Amino acid sequence: MEKKISQATLNRLPIYYRILCTAAESGVEIISSHELGKILNITPEQIRKDLTSFGNFGKKGIGYEVSDLKNKIENILGLQYHWRLGIVGAGHLGAALANYKNFPSLGFQIVALFDVDERIIGSEINGVKIYDFKKINSVATRKLVDIGVIAVPDIHAQKVADALVKAGVLGIWNFAPIKLNVPPQITLVNEDLSIGLTSLSYHLAQK
Amino acid sequence: MEKKISQATLNRLPIYYRILCTAAESGVEIISSHELGKILNITPEQIRKDLTSFGNFGKKGIGYEVSDLKNKIENILGLQYHWRLGIVGAGHLGAALANYKNFPSLGFQIVALFDVDERIIGSEINGVKIYDFKKINSVATRKLVDIGVIAVPDIHAQKVADALVKAGVLGIWNFAPIKLNVPPQITLVNEDLSIGLTSLSYHLAQK
């Protein structure tokens, strides 16, 4: 029944979700596409288009029911599962991710960090313990890790992916700029930080 | 004359660009949409659609001229300007960005880091010196910083944005999860790391 949602719409849903959470917490019950648009600097037309792409919500001339819309987006994005993340690599990138504030606000929980550096194993980053990478199987099972995050140098990324698959994760979020081989049942999302920067370059070049 | 390029296509251009650079370095002169598709795991139809969206390239049944296509993408993305980046915040995120390998491959140069922590001012990350944030005006001018990267906690982000604007940057790449106010002549791109993670959650929830 769900229609396929475009990547661009999908990218905006977490932003809508956060606004709706804030609105709900402040006791707001109804929000219009104009109000959403003003907060987000997006046209009301775009917002209505995004939101109708997964079902017809909102009443014309009134607006969207905040809690309804929030729950619907939560369900579409699967945020109700409160995915549990294990980050492999507790260097600068892993530490930055462990400290990133936007993850908890979407229900993601970072439950473990893994590294091979004995000097940092056993210590914590933002309250999350760093475990020995060698123990990933038992720790990931015990901590119910759903999603493995790869924050290690390229040359170790495939080995880490294999270990994560073996440890039973459902999905992998990969920051290493290489193409990983994973079994088809594993959901793999590659993160490429240069996309945002390239988009900035593109817009600067248009001027 | 240039048509507006969709965000999804724009996101794929740096990936095409890297493949074309590698192909050019290996002496490959012609590449087909099938070959590109195989390397990238994208359908040849999608590739042809992406590439025709900014002009009609490639000869039917033959393929694309590697060096031509590479130069065209370089020009569209503005990579020929070799933008010079100054990163404000030399904590974990700033350090991770200074170490990120995908930026130099797209011609971006990180020329300075800035921080307020006296213990790290004067030291280097990946060969890039950390300067005192107080000296951002003179250093950014001397180092010809085009793009300012905000890698500081939310509460300092607006202050840093103001300082970057005053220091004469053309664009700002913002990692702080807040809405910044910048003058209209400044190109602002907000990076939200949770978008990739949310996309992973969405795909897991579809299973």
Side-chain angles (χ1 to χ4, degrees), chain A residues 18 77 83 185 194 201 207, chain B residues 18 77 83 185 194 201:
Chain A
R18 277 202 203 92
L77 295 179
W83 304 109
Q185 75 274 18
S194 49
S201 171
K207 288 194 171 175
Chain B
R18 276 200 204 95
L77 295 178
W83 303 110
Q185 75 274 18
S194 50
S201 171

Side-chain angles (χ1 to χ4, degrees), chain A residues 95-137:
Chain A
L97 294 172
N99 280 307
Y100 197 66
K101 284 188 188 158
N102 268 357
F103 300 153
S105 69
L106 294 168
F108 297 106
Q109 306 170 69
I110 299 169
V111 296
L113 283 149
F114 299 93
D115 208 290
V116 293
D117 185 345
E118 285 178 13
R119 290 167 299 179
I120 58 170
I121 290 168
S123 63
E124 290 186 356
I125 298 173
N126 198 19
V128 183
K129 196 170 165 186
I130 304 174
Y131 294 91
D132 189 342
F133 177 64
K134 285 202 291 277
K135 296 185 183 154
I136 191 164
N137 253 317

Side-chain angles (χ1 to χ4, degrees), chain B residues 111-126:
Chain B
V111 296
L113 283 150
F114 298 94
D115 209 289
V116 293
D117 185 345
E118 284 179 14
R119 289 168 299 178
I120 60 170
I121 290 168
S123 64
E124 289 186 358
I125 297 174
N126 198 20

Side-chain angles (χ1 to χ4, degrees), chain A residues 11 18 39 76-78 83 92 95 100 102 106 173 177 179 185 187 192-195 198 200-202 207, chain B residues 11 18 39 76-78 83 92 95 100 102 106 173 177 179 185 187 192-195 198 200-202 207:
Chain A
N11 290 354
R18 277 202 203 92
I39 300 169
I76 288 170
L77 295 179
W83 304 109
H92 290 303
Y100 197 66
N102 268 357
L106 294 168
W173 193 28
K179 203 182 155 192
Q185 75 274 18
T187 304
D192 185 348
L193 291 179
S194 49
I195 287 175
T198 310
L200 179 50
S201 171
Y202 167 77
K207 288 194 171 175
Chain B
N11 290 355
R18 276 200 204 95
I39 299 169
I76 288 169
L77 295 178
W83 303 110
H92 290 302
Y100 197 67
N102 267 359
L106 294 168
W173 192 26
K179 202 182 155 193
Q185 75 274 18
T187 304
D192 185 348
L193 291 178
S194 50
I195 286 175
T198 310
L200 179 50
S201 171
Y202 167 76
K207 288 196 171 175

